[in-house]
Amino acid sequence: MFQFEIYKQNFWRMSASLLAVLGSFLLGCTKTENLHDVQVGSFAAPPDVVAIKLSKYVPQQGNGFQHLYVSNFSVKVENNQLALSTSRDSLSDSMKQQLAADYGFTVGSAESAVRFFADLLLFSLGVKLPQQYLLHCSSNLALSTSNDALIYTDTRQAGSPQEFLGLRDCEKTYMGLNPKTFDYSGNGIPDYLKLRCGLNPLNKNDAYVSTAGDGVANIDKCKRNVPIDQNFFSQPSQTFAYQYSSQVSADGTMEFDINNIPILNGGADNFIAFYFVESDLTTNAETLTSAFTILKGGMSGKTLAIDYWGTSANNLLNQEISLP
Amino acid sequence: MKNSGRTLLVGLSVAPLLLACNSEKLKPIDPALLQVVGYGKVDAHFCTSPRQPAKQNLKYVFILDHSQSNQATIPNPLTPNDVNNTDPAGSRRFGPLVNFISNLVPDPNTILSYALIDFNDTAWQPQNSSGFLADGTAFVSLVTKDWIGSGTAANPAPNDAGFTNYEDALKLAQQLIQKDAQLSALLPDNPPITTVYEIIFVSDGVPTIATPSSSNATYTQTFTTDIGPVIQSIMNLKYDPNFGKAIASITLNAAYYSNGQPLVAAQSLLQQMAQAGNGEFLSFATGENILYQQFAPPPRDLLNLLTDVFVENVNGVWWDDGRFMLDSDGDGLPDEIERQLGSNPNAVDSDGNGVSDLVEYRTKGVACKDPQCSVAGRDPYAICAGFVTGTNPDGSVQFSSSTNDGLNDCEKYVLGLSRNSYNTNGDLIPDQFALKASIPVTPGSANAAFSDPFNDGVSNYNKLKLGLPVQVSKNSLVDFNSRSTSLEVESTPSPDVTCYHLQVDKVALALTTSLIRIHLIQNGAAAQDKPVLLRAEANVDPNSMTANFAPGDFK
């Protein structure tokens, strides 16, 4: 196919799904003249990457597969570069340092300024140091009723505190979301991921528009961990975007290959989050399953083979996947 | 929506692509019918707006204890262990409340109102007040009267008597909020300005009441049986399918004030209540005033994010038959169609009745009531009399405009659109732009924008971005270039502001000096969903064939 040749010329390996996104938008099988040129303005050096082969996925009984989100929470594409986020909360270390004076943030923790409130939320809402004393999170609303958070013991920090990547009930209440559900607007993206990707968790449609006008829906950029407000066909976005592909195995399970996942520090302490969104085949009600894994160093160029974690009703959510 | 296939994961998207290949069956539109004189470019620089305070209603519900234990009189013989003399003159409960309300700094983005609930054996709103008062001064006077009670301004003597019925007080608060939210949900504000309800529950003792069956026995309400369920139903108001959308959040705070040794039972109950209500519990020791300001919610200064950008060629229209045509006056009706209809191709509103030719045509099938578009024969739009703001020098009617999307209030009204939102159906496309492009605009039609009625692989929304017609299949167009768009982050002057460079190429023009309009849509990052529209216009420069935009152009 002609599109493939273009991509080969530009050295960008595109997954089948990305190609479909591009193709359906621009081509409709008839013409090719509108194909975007890769932008030459800014240039990003190719990062170290890992690949993940996620096998043996089956939706829960009565459910259909809806979305898979894989995201390296330790890195963020910022100013066309890969920035480290030690706190894994979508605020890079350099951003946190910039905001430290106004908000009291530190780089180590996702909730570094106010107990039980995510730094990311404080920044989004603009609740700075002088007003922070007015925020309260009562202890019985400090957890997540919908179980959509990733909670882990952070051995990097003194005293190994529990880190919480998600939205607590009190945060959801404060934001006007519903603690009982992981996806307030019902559009298939967990509220916390929307906030991370620069989408408003209350808005139903902003995930499906293409803010950058390149025809790639914001949700698809969110899945690939690249900024929604940047041309997807620019060199940096192409360099950093994940490539998803999937196939159904002979035994009826699904296998997902996620290639080109950028890592920093050779992968050491990189936090990879996994979310499956499924929907009930009759009621359309959404369910979530989630997991995470923390990489070790020396992973560059390697492929992680992972079996789907949700083998029983007890281990669908917040599962830590141990790597050999 | 999630099933519409727009997410295009994996092989799912291959099917529509293959189907779209049946283009040989479509009869192409003769390129000669497209009035394309050339293609222009758009080059725009703009930034997101600085943070802005979230506009919201903030409604306080103060629930004050009026039981006998406030007074120095001996405790009720039925509750010999109760505290007494906690606030005989009301200076701990009422005084600081008056101060708090009087000293609130006016904030144009916070619309305040207040309600007072008193309770002892039962609960009530004093002075026959009902619901919320928006007038701070009137509320202060209400509180002051309640404070003075049977005394004088110099020596207030609040009417404290009886037991302490928490359950009834909370039930009254629930009714109050439910009624208020029901009314707010009916307001034609789309999306509504939501309300933060801040309940502040103030008491000095445990909820002991007289047993209804016997006057000399008492019953102490418990959290599990009596109080918790009421708080739960208060918190659940937000998730009511009918009026929950009017509620941003509900918080129940609790304050305990004591005289001498605090009652542990009362303290822990109030603490439990605040926990269930996602609020704060504070305890005030002997003589301490209640610090109401400690319960105020923090102001929110929302980060603005770019949500969408639309580029409109004001002087070019894709007409219903799939032809691209010149529209000199930019009203959305092509010149050729205007000549057929008898309206003026050089006037947006040919008969001067205040409603544009396009809106009249779309709602009535004619651009003017009178075939010659005479002023005398025009439809006066009497139903819009309330929106008239004046008459222009040329005799045309001027209507108010509550939004900046280009449709005035009368036009919005006759189209069945919200006068308070640039984007009635929530698909993020400005109403005026969507109307011109024949994309549904009425409430509930948001999904139409993302559908692909011709199965040509391009949704209506994407056609709008590509400059393609939504009325025909993409495959019926030959020798027509669709737009290409590039958006890049240009700079980030501060963590709060992002500046962009937008370049659009291959903008089809029916006139070399066409007017180009850019619609910028921003939304707060979280906590409220009110997308805001900014617009800018610039003509294509016939030499460079480019329309240039600078940050200051967007309004």
Side-chain angles (χ1 to χ4, degrees):
Chain A
M1 277 169 81
F2 180 61
Q3 304 98 294
F4 263 121
E5 284 160 18
I6 295 259
Y7 280 98
K8 278 178 188 159
Q9 282 163 19
N10 289 292
F11 307 106
W12 314 127
R13 293 162 296 149
M14 296 289 290
S15 71
S17 63
L18 280 186
L19 194 65
V21 170
L22 171 73
S24 65
F25 183 61
L26 295 169
L27 306 170
C29 276
T30 54
K31 288 205 254 174
T32 53
E33 81 239 56
N34 303 324
L35 199 60
H36 292 269
D37 297 324
V38 169
Q39 301 287 307
V40 290
S42 42
F43 184 81
D48 286 347
V49 295
V50 293
I52 291 176
K53 186 184 280 295
L54 179 55
S55 308
K56 301 208 170 101
Y57 167 73
V58 267
Q60 293 166 70
Q61 189 69 35
N63 279 358
F65 167 71
Q66 200 63 239
H67 297 285
L68 165 65
Y69 302 88
V70 176
S71 188
N72 182 356
F73 278 5
S74 295
V75 305
K76 182 167 169 86
V77 177
E78 212 165 73
N79 303 324
N80 297 320
Q81 285 173 350
L82 212 53
L84 180 68
S85 172
T86 302
S87 51
R88 302 163 172 166
D89 63 353
S90 184
L91 291 174
S92 68
D93 292 1
S94 65
M95 187 70 155
K96 283 213 174 181
Q97 279 152 6
Q98 270 189 71
L99 297 170
D102 281 342
Y103 292 86
F105 295 157
T106 57
V107 298
S109 168
E111 295 170 331
S112 68
V114 182
R115 186 171 143 86
F116 298 149
F117 279 90
D119 293 358
L120 177 63
L121 183 61
L122 299 183
F123 173 63
S124 298
L125 301 181
V127 184
K128 297 183 180 173
L129 278 170
Q131 290 98 33
Q132 286 175 1
Y133 78 98
L134 292 166
L135 283 170
H136 313 291
C137 186
S138 62
S139 56
N140 57 345
L141 292 177
L143 282 174
S144 163
T145 303
S146 58
N147 268 321
D148 53 358
L150 299 177
I151 305 166
Y152 66 99
T153 303
D154 191 359
T155 50
R156 299 170 303 169
Q157 296 182 56
S160 297
Q162 213 174 49
E163 277 287 309
F164 187 100
L165 296 172
L167 295 170
R168 296 177 191 266
D169 286 2
C170 58
E171 293 175 295
K172 285 193 179 173
T173 306
Y174 184 59
M175 293 165 76
L177 301 172
N178 187 346
K180 296 190 184 87
T181 168
F182 67 89
D183 176 16
Y184 177 84
S185 62
N187 65 357
I189 314 191
D191 295 334
Y192 180 61
L193 281 183
K194 288 198 85 180
L195 193 65
R196 290 181 69 103
C197 290
L199 298 165
N200 187 324
L202 293 164
N203 192 294
K204 194 175 166 68
N205 288 325
D206 63 359
Y208 291 96
V209 303
S210 173
T211 299
D214 50 20
V216 181
N218 292 338
I219 183 176
D220 289 313
K221 290 185 183 169
C222 189
K223 283 177 181 171
R224 288 161 181 80
N225 206 17
V226 290
I228 61 167
D229 57 358
Q230 175 100 8
N231 188 342
F232 187 74
F233 303 100
S234 65
Q235 191 269 349
S237 285
Q238 286 293 297
T239 305
F240 297 128
Y242 300 2
Q243 296 154 4
Y244 285 78
S245 63
S246 69
Q247 55 194 12
V248 178
S249 307
D251 62 359
T253 63
M254 279 176 90
E255 179 187 295
F256 295 88
D257 290 299
I258 307 102
N259 290 312
N260 202 55
I261 301 174
I263 52 170
L264 283 173
N265 301 333
D269 288 330
N270 281 222
F271 185 100
I272 315 280
F274 301 86
Y275 299 90
F276 274 104
V277 176
E278 300 172 0
S279 67
D280 188 291
L281 294 172
T282 49
T283 65
N284 259 356
E286 294 178 342
T287 41
L288 182 78
T289 74
S290 65
F292 64 92
T293 189
I294 300 172
L295 302 185
K296 299 185 172 82
M299 287 302 296
S300 179
K302 293 192 175 155
T303 297
L304 300 170
I306 293 173
D307 282 350
Y308 178 59
W309 59 89
T311 49
S312 86
N314 299 326
N315 53 12
L316 292 172
L317 292 158
N318 190 32
Q319 291 301 299
E320 175 159 14
I321 297 169
S322 308
L323 295 172
Chain B
M1 159 172 314
K2 59 195 171 196
N3 294 326
S4 68
R6 273 181 291 107
T7 53
L8 298 168
L9 242 197
V10 205
L12 291 173
S13 57
V14 174
L17 283 180
L18 295 176
L19 292 172
C21 291
N22 299 328
S23 56
E24 66 278 2
K25 289 179 191 159
L26 289 163
K27 193 176 153 216
I29 294 169
D30 184 350
L33 291 173
L34 302 184
Q35 301 172 357
V36 179
V37 299
Y39 292 90
K41 291 180 183 172
V42 172
D43 191 280
H45 300 268
F46 54 84
C47 304
T48 55
S49 303
R51 281 179 189 274
Q52 59 203 33
K55 191 161 183 141
Q56 61 182 17
N57 297 311
L58 174 53
K59 300 194 178 183
Y60 283 103
V61 182
F62 300 98
I63 305 180
L64 301 189
D65 190 325
H66 252 291
S67 66
Q68 195 181 0
S69 52
N70 286 291
Q71 299 302 322
T73 45
I74 52 159
N76 189 306
L78 294 172
T79 55
N81 298 324
D82 201 359
V83 291
N84 72 352
N85 205 19
T86 52
D87 186 22
S91 57
R92 300 177 71 189
R93 285 167 289 166
F94 300 97
L97 179 54
V98 167
N99 277 339
F100 171 65
I101 305 292
S102 310
N103 294 333
L104 278 171
V105 182
D107 173 359
N109 294 297
T110 304
I111 305 154
L112 285 162
S113 40
Y114 321 88
L116 179 61
I117 292 175
D118 288 342
F119 70 99
N120 45 36
D121 293 333
T122 57
W124 67 94
Q125 284 204 269
Q127 320 286 329
N128 295 322
S129 63
S130 83
F132 289 88
L133 278 177
D135 180 351
T137 318
F139 185 73
V140 164
S141 120
L142 177 81
V143 174
T144 310
K145 275 188 197 150
D146 196 35
W147 181 10
I148 291 170
S150 54
T152 63
N155 290 301
N159 293 315
D160 297 320
F163 289 102
T164 315
N165 191 337
Y166 280 23
E167 190 183 350
D168 276 12
L170 291 166
K171 277 184 176 160
L172 185 56
Q174 188 204 342
Q175 288 163 17
L176 194 70
I177 292 171
Q178 179 165 344
K179 211 166 139 189
D180 188 67
Q182 276 166 339
L183 286 174
S184 304
L186 293 175
L187 293 177
D189 191 5
N190 179 22
I193 299 180
T194 51
T195 303
V196 173
Y197 292 95
E198 201 76 23
I199 306 170
I200 302 176
F201 189 101
V202 178
S203 179
D204 69 345
V206 290
T208 300
I209 53 169
T211 310
S213 52
S214 151
S215 59
N216 50 16
T218 60
Y219 169 73
T220 299
Q221 295 169 341
T222 66
F223 183 80
T224 320
T225 319
D226 310 296
I227 293 161
V230 187
I231 295 177
Q232 196 52 53
S233 60
I234 292 177
M235 300 306 282
N236 284 344
L237 291 174
K238 186 185 151 38
Y239 309 112
D240 185 279
N242 298 315
F243 55 81
K245 62 176 182 177
I247 301 172
S249 62
I250 301 175
T251 309
L252 172 74
N253 304 283
Y256 173 70
Y257 58 104
S258 57
N259 184 31
Q261 190 66 27
L263 282 178
V264 175
Q267 269 185 323
S268 61
L269 175 64
L270 286 162
Q271 192 157 19
Q272 229 174 342
M273 286 165 59
Q275 270 184 14
N278 196 34
E280 195 185 12
F281 165 74
L282 291 175
S283 187
F284 299 96
T286 313
E288 268 185 333
N289 285 346
I290 290 155
L291 293 173
Y292 290 94
Q293 57 269 31
Q294 293 277 339
F295 299 110
R300 299 184 297 201
D301 227 5
L302 298 184
L303 178 69
N304 277 309
L305 297 175
L306 180 67
T307 302
D308 218 332
V309 188
F310 295 100
V311 174
E312 175 189 0
N313 177 355
V314 176
N315 298 122
V317 174
W318 285 103
W319 190 240
D320 299 356
D321 54 12
R323 282 186 295 163
F324 182 75
M325 298 163 92
L326 172 67
D327 177 15
S328 297
D329 54 14
D331 60 1
L333 279 178
D335 293 6
E336 199 178 311
I337 303 297
E338 294 222 51
R339 282 191 284 268
Q340 287 169 17
L341 294 168
S343 58
N344 184 349
N346 294 308
V348 170
D349 174 19
S350 301
D351 57 8
N353 62 357
V355 176
S356 78
D357 295 342
L358 179 69
V359 174
E360 287 207 55
Y361 180 73
R362 288 295 182 212
T363 52
K364 300 189 298 195
V366 288
C368 307
K369 191 180 171 197
D370 176 59
Q372 274 73 48
C373 282
S374 71
V375 171
R378 72 190 181 191
D379 183 341
Y381 279 95
I383 47 168
C384 289
F387 304 131
V388 176
T389 55
T391 310
N392 294 320
D394 63 358
S396 61
V397 179
Q398 208 172 42
F399 290 114
S400 57
S401 209
S402 307
T403 58
N404 64 339
D405 66 344
L407 293 173
N408 66 40
D409 289 346
C410 182
E411 290 168 335
K412 289 253 181 182
Y413 182 73
V414 299
L415 288 163
L417 304 179
S418 165
R419 286 180 286 112
N420 299 297
S421 169
Y422 84 88
N423 171 217
T424 302
N425 64 7
D427 63 6
L428 298 169
I429 307 169
D431 286 343
Q432 167 269 333
F433 186 39
L435 180 75
K436 178 177 162 179
S438 299
I439 288 177
V441 287
T442 45
S445 63
N447 286 349
F450 302 105
S451 67
D452 175 14
F454 291 96
N455 208 8
D456 54 7
V458 190
S459 68
N460 288 340
Y461 167 85
N462 280 335
K463 284 184 173 175
L464 215 50
K465 291 235 161 169
L466 286 167
L468 296 174
V470 304
Q471 300 94 337
V472 294
S473 167
K474 180 192 188 302
N475 302 323
S476 61
L477 293 173
V478 287
D479 289 339
F480 181 84
N481 293 327
S482 53
R483 297 175 185 170
S484 66
T485 300
S486 167
L487 183 76
E488 300 293 321
V489 174
E490 195 162 46
S491 65
T492 44
S494 81
D496 296 345
V497 174
T498 309
C499 294
Y500 296 94
H501 184 199
L502 172 76
Q503 291 167 289
V504 185
D505 198 1
K506 299 279 195 300
V507 179
L509 302 177
L511 175 76
T512 335
T513 55
S514 287
L515 186 66
I516 304 293
R517 182 182 291 144
I518 298 182
H519 308 255
L520 275 191
I521 292 141
Q522 295 184 134
N523 200 359
Q528 78 172 13
D529 183 25
K530 271 188 100 65
V532 172
L533 172 70
L534 293 174
R535 309 204 311 173
E537 293 174 354
N539 283 99
V540 174
D541 178 316
N543 296 319
S544 64
M545 288 297 274
T546 303
N548 291 293
F549 294 82
D553 299 343
F554 292 85
K555 305 217 160 57

